[in-house]
Amino acid sequence: MDEDADGDRVFKALASPVRRRMLDALKTSTRTTGELCALFPELDRTTVLQHLRVLEQAELVTGRRLGRERHLSLAPLPIKRIHDRWISGYMAAAVDLLDELDRGQE
């Protein structure tokens, strides 16, 4: 799979506040689909499942069946890839800039 396409799917998934809230819920523990639906009473089950599909396509969430239940877990590797490629580089540049500003005031 193309690295840029993977990143695009992750950024698309993270663009939605609802999907970010779902990831926050899964960060604390594995949840069944029903439990996740209950955390979002403002959404119908179909809408929750549509959001989950986007998260799964971005490989941010994995699911496994246990009997009739589907257990969902956070898959942090795509977020780490985004961090490694984008955030850490910008963070280093920001720290360097702040260091330059601090030295300029001396």
Side-chain angles (χ1 to χ4, degrees):
M1 185 76 36
D2 179 11
E3 189 176 313
D4 284 337
D6 288 345
D8 289 347
R9 278 190 285 280
V10 172
F11 280 117
K12 175 186 175 187
L14 295 174
S16 165
V18 170
R19 291 192 286 267
R20 290 192 305 267
R21 285 177 40 216
M22 287 180 172
L23 292 175
D24 287 340
L26 294 172
K27 181 173 55 176
T28 59
S29 68
T30 299
R31 298 182 187 272
T32 65
T33 305
E35 290 170 336
L36 199 58
C37 288
L39 291 174
F40 296 89
E42 72 278 11
L43 303 176
D44 61 55
R45 185 176 179 85
T46 302
T47 303
V48 171
L49 294 175
Q50 288 171 341
H51 283 294
L52 278 173
R53 190 172 312 118
V54 173
L55 291 170
E56 287 175 319
Q57 288 171 345
E59 299 180 353
L60 289 164
V61 170
T62 60
R64 71 184 200 299
R65 285 214 172 271
L66 290 174
R68 294 184 63 200
E69 294 181 329
R70 189 157 171 253
H71 292 256
L72 304 163
S73 301
L74 178 68
L77 189 57
I79 294 173
K80 182 180 182 330
R81 286 187 198 124
I82 293 295
H83 173 270
D84 292 349
R85 179 164 182 212
W86 294 96
I87 297 169
S88 64
Y90 286 104
M91 185 176 63
V95 168
D96 290 345
L97 180 59
L98 289 172
D99 188 44
E100 280 182 41
L101 290 171
D102 191 40
R103 281 184 283 156
Q105 292 180 1
E106 292 176 358

